[in-house]
Amino acid sequence: MKKERKNTLRDSVFEALKALIITGQIPPGGRVTENEIAERLKVSRTPVREAFNRLERDGLVIGRPRQGYVVAEFNLTMFREAFDIRELLDGRATELAAANATAADKAKLREMLAECERLAAIPDRSTREKFEELQVGIDLHRVIAEISGNEMLYGMLCGILDKCQQYVWTELLWLDEWKLTREEHAGIVDAICAGDVALAGERARAHVRGSRENILRLLQAKSDYQGFFAKAS
């Protein structure tokens, strides 16, 4: 199943547009058109149109006929469902990875941890550099799922990770959980490299549960805040 993935213009535009959404540069509820993004990214409309189609399938944007696209606004129900599914898939993928990882697979995971540490050590990091660390951390879970050898599980988890990425960015940025996330990722990789199936799976599930609880507190606080001012007005 493992194969090299070429970073085409299509992929670059998709990742750039997704980053604009996840980091809030295009906020939830914000409307945007293909022309605006094509001009912003200095590309033609074709890869932009394809990127919007992929993001719509992932549930990050909603197409409006003759009006462009609206960035999806995530609610508590959607959040809970996404993370409940992610805990199951991530845990199982990590168990399989611990059973199947080769020496090359383990080296790849170690390289990704080292890249996160490199990005973390940059003084006065920019939003772009923080997003790069987020992306490497998310990709770590994708690589673990790929190592699992279960292609259907890999595809399903990648789709869920796309939906969770905006929530994870919120957690890292507002709760400053960067160091804890790196430590938990290192613990997961250690268990995979040791071939400890049970420990790897439990660490992966605990990692997702912890993230879920952190983000839930933020979302609930935001909901309570909005509700308070709605009653006061």
Side-chain angles (χ1 to χ4, degrees):
M1 183 181 74
K2 298 172 191 175
K3 53 185 179 293
E4 292 295 321
R5 291 179 172 79
K6 294 182 179 179
N7 186 23
T8 64
L9 174 62
R10 178 189 309 169
D11 294 328
S12 297
V13 170
F14 171 73
E15 293 298 338
L17 180 52
K18 186 169 71 170
L20 291 174
I21 292 171
I22 290 170
T23 58
Q25 295 178 67
I26 305 175
R31 189 178 73 84
V32 67
T33 66
E34 293 175 5
N35 283 337
E36 291 169 352
I37 295 301
E39 183 176 346
R40 186 167 183 170
L41 300 181
K42 308 300 182 187
V43 296
S44 68
R45 287 180 57 187
T46 298
V48 173
R49 183 179 305 114
E50 293 174 350
F52 272 121
N53 287 338
R54 290 174 65 181
L55 289 168
E56 188 167 24
R57 288 196 300 271
D58 292 340
L60 293 178
V61 300
I62 302 167
R64 303 292 193 202
R66 297 180 296 278
Q67 296 181 35
Y69 294 83
V70 175
V71 176
E73 298 189 66
F74 297 99
N75 55 45
L76 289 175
T77 299
M78 185 184 301
F79 162 75
R80 288 192 178 99
E81 290 176 352
F83 270 75
D84 284 349
I85 295 171
R86 184 187 165 190
E87 182 180 341
L88 295 172
L89 298 179
D90 230 329
R92 183 55 179 156
T94 306
E95 289 172 345
L96 291 172
N100 298 329
T102 65
D105 293 330
K106 295 173 185 179
K108 173 64 176 176
L109 294 175
R110 295 290 190 195
E111 288 171 5
M112 297 181 81
L113 292 179
E115 177 63 8
C116 285
E117 292 292 346
R118 184 191 71 79
L119 290 166
I122 297 174
D124 300 320
R125 294 196 298 171
S126 65
T127 298
R128 178 188 179 91
E129 289 161 341
K130 290 178 180 179
F131 185 78
E132 286 178 7
E133 183 180 345
L134 167 71
Q135 193 66 62
V136 175
I138 291 291
D139 285 345
L140 180 73
H141 292 280
R142 298 186 202 277
V143 170
I144 289 172
E146 190 173 25
I147 293 170
S148 78
N150 186 318
E151 190 165 357
M152 184 175 293
L153 175 57
Y154 170 77
M156 293 172 66
L157 183 55
C158 283
I160 289 295
L161 287 170
D162 284 335
K163 290 179 172 60
C164 292
Q165 199 163 349
Q166 190 169 27
Y167 295 117
V168 175
W169 171 256
T170 300
E171 176 196 14
L172 292 172
L173 194 63
W174 292 104
L175 294 182
D176 196 23
E177 295 285 356
W178 300 97
K179 184 174 184 293
L180 176 61
T181 298
R182 288 192 295 272
E183 290 173 350
E184 291 181 350
H185 282 165
I188 292 168
V189 170
D190 284 345
I192 291 173
C193 291
D196 192 327
V197 172
L199 182 60
E202 179 49 39
R203 284 181 174 175
R205 285 186 285 270
H207 172 65
V208 176
R209 286 195 301 270
S211 183
R212 178 184 185 276
E213 292 307 311
N214 283 339
I215 300 166
L216 184 59
R217 289 201 306 273
L218 283 174
L219 294 179
Q220 190 63 62
K222 179 180 178 182
S223 177
D224 292 345
Y225 179 82
Q226 291 173 336
F228 173 80
F229 280 97
K231 290 179 181 179
S233 61

